[in-house]
Structure formats: C-alpha cells, structure tokens
Amino acid sequence: MELSVNIDHIATLREARKERFPSPIHAAVEVELGGADGITVHLRSDQRHIKERDVELLKQVARTELTLEMAATSQMASIAKRIKPACITLVPEAPGEVTTQRGLVLLNQKEDLKSYISDLKKYGITVGLFINPDIEQIKEAARIGAQYIEINTNEYSLLHRSKIRDEIIRIARVAKAARREGIGVHAGHGLDYRNIQPLLSVMEITGYSIGFAIVARAVFVGLRQATQEMVQRIKGVR
Ligand code: PXP
C-alpha cells in the first residue's frame, strides 16, 4: 500500500501571505524523506494555492511519483501535456468550493471524458478518476479507459466510528469490482491518522492520497515526522 501526500496546503499557507515560502518544493523533499511514495497536488483552475510553476518545479525535483489532480478542461490538458506528471487524477471542480465536494459523475459526460483520457495517455500519463463509492460507475470507468479510480472517502470520513461498517462494505465492493475490471484502486479525502485504520482491511486499495491531516500534524511535529507517522499507520511499520 502506497501513500501519496497532498501538499496543497503548504501552498495555501504561502498564499495566505502572498509570500515565497513555505515552498511546496521544500515540502516535497520533506515528505519524501518521511517515506512517502508520491507527491500529489491539485492545480485548480483559479490556481489559488498550487500554481502552474509549482507543478513544473515539482516535476523536476520530485524523486517519487507526481500526481496532478485537475478538472477535465482544455486549459488543464495543455498544462498536463507540457509538464507530463506521472499520474493525473481527474476531479470535478465547483467554483468557490473549499475542497473537492464529490466524485465525478461519469454517466453524464462519458464520451467527452473518453477522448480526454485517451489523449492524456498518449503522453505517457497514467489517468485515474475520482469517484464516489458507487458500483454503477465502475463499468463506465473501465469503458472510458480509466487506469485507476480514487474512491472518494469523504462520506466515510464524516461517519462516527460505530457507523462505518456499511460504508466500508460499500467501498470494498466498489474496490473489488474495479479490480475485476483491471482498474487500480486508490482512496482519499478526509482521511486521518485514526480513520485510515479500518480502511486498511480493504486489500484492493493499493494507494492512499492524504493531505490535510498530515499538513495539520506537521505544524506541531514537522512534515517529515507527520509523513513518517502516516507511513507507519499504512504500512504497519512499528
Ligand atoms: N483526493 C482528492 C481527489 C482531493 O481533492 C483531495 C483534497 O485536495 C484529497 C484526496 C486529499 O484530501 P485531504 O486533504 O482531506 O486528505
């Protein structure tokens, strides 16, 4: 199981003061020294935290896999084709949202998305789709050429621990269906040091994308240690 750390909030802090620090590049180095398998950033259309230049520099500096989260727009496609991150996770983007609100609804935009994905793949990019744990969407994800899905764990993360059983079952069903279609399975959104634990029983999930909880902990213990602690949770290292 792999951990990709989302470092958007390092840029959020930088932009709060319109400063040049803290730098996402420095963050990427710390996260890698902490044992992460990848770096993730979301280049929003308004570039309110991560900027195009950050993605460019991260591509040059990161020694692990760089994942770019982005909306499926033509502006983003041209940036992606130029920078060529290892992976792209396509996400829906609503103007003014604080964070990604939901997964993609594949049934509404399938044909456009199919050619969009195949175009990105020509540049050697692995393309995934951020979707809610909705089994109906798996066949569609396979048909339009997704190489992995990232299951939106936002709803799961909001449930009290005593109420998570059904949601874990739902997530596991979706993960198994995706594997049967030959699609990789990641999960992310709202995951933290506690709620990650029960999810680890879903063996089909091979990658986690976690940001806020790690950056929030980093304020107190540093980014390297905060990453190490999550790596220990995920990989069971004592
Ligand atoms: N995955 C996706 C698609 C996201 O949009 C985000 C938030 O940027 C994350 C994972 C990470 O979520 P969190 O910051 O809550 O860990």
Side-chain angles (χ1 to χ4, degrees):
M1 263 164 290
E2 302 213 323
L3 170 67
S4 187
V5 178
N6 181 316
I7 55 172
D8 290 351
H9 292 299
I10 302 296
T12 303
L13 186 55
R14 176 189 65 188
E15 295 307 314
R17 273 292 179 94
K18 301 285 175 225
E19 266 294 356
R20 295 168 62 153
F21 64 93
S23 156
I25 313 308
H26 188 174
V29 173
E30 289 299 316
V31 154
E32 288 180 344
L33 288 171
D37 306 288
I39 310 289
T40 296
V41 287
H42 185 169
L43 184 64
R44 287 189 163 271
S45 304
D46 59 9
Q47 303 201 17
R48 69 181 187 214
H49 43 50
I50 291 290
K51 315 280 180 214
E52 189 174 338
R53 181 169 178 274
D54 295 322
V55 186
E56 246 168 54
L57 293 174
L58 285 167
K59 170 68 202 267
Q60 290 166 23
V61 170
R63 303 179 66 132
T64 58
E65 203 165 71
L66 177 64
T67 297
L68 177 62
E69 291 173 2
M70 61 179 218
T73 64
S74 52
Q75 179 207 7
M76 286 299 148
S78 54
I79 294 172
K81 288 183 211 168
R82 188 171 59 74
I83 300 179
K84 299 189 196 70
C87 303
I88 285 181
T89 306
L90 295 174
V91 300
E93 226 175 74
E97 66 187 358
V98 172
T99 180
T100 313
Q101 295 293 312
R102 59 190 70 83
L104 289 165
V105 179
L106 302 181
L107 305 172
N108 285 349
Q109 46 178 326
K110 50 197 175 190
E111 291 317 318
D112 285 355
L113 210 49
K114 187 176 178 188
S115 55
Y116 194 91
I117 291 171
S118 92
D119 193 27
L120 289 176
K121 282 188 192 166
K122 288 181 197 142
Y123 290 78
I125 301 168
T126 301
V127 185
L129 303 174
F130 183 60
I131 59 171
N132 289 344
D134 174 3
I135 198 121
E136 311 273 287
Q137 303 215 84
I138 296 302
K139 281 221 178 318
E140 205 49 33
R143 198 186 70 74
I144 64 178
Q147 289 155 299
Y148 65 93
I149 53 163
E150 181 182 325
I151 299 176
N152 179 7
T153 48
N154 186 46
E155 238 175 83
Y156 164 80
S157 73
L158 297 172
L159 291 170
H160 185 268
R161 206 178 168 105
S162 61
K163 302 246 163 61
I164 59 173
R165 199 171 153 267
D166 287 354
E167 188 64 8
I168 294 263
I169 291 170
R170 189 159 84 110
I171 289 172
R173 245 188 230 135
V174 167
K176 282 183 182 27
R179 293 302 305 142
R180 276 198 299 275
E181 295 289 340
I183 303 178
V185 184
H186 301 177
H189 211 292
L191 297 178
D192 60 31
Y193 294 88
R194 276 169 62 82
N195 67 21
I196 186 76
Q197 215 75 46
L199 259 195
L200 297 173
S201 63
V202 183
M203 298 311 291
E204 288 77 12
I205 300 175
T206 56
Y208 287 95
S209 172
I210 306 179
F212 187 76
I214 295 175
V215 175
R217 175 127 181 91
V219 172
F220 303 105
V221 302
L223 191 50
R224 195 182 307 188
Q225 187 180 322
T227 302
Q228 271 165 0
E229 290 175 10
M230 190 60 84
V231 168
Q232 283 163 6
R233 295 280 193 291
I234 290 178
K235 305 198 181 194
V237 185
R238 302 270 159 226

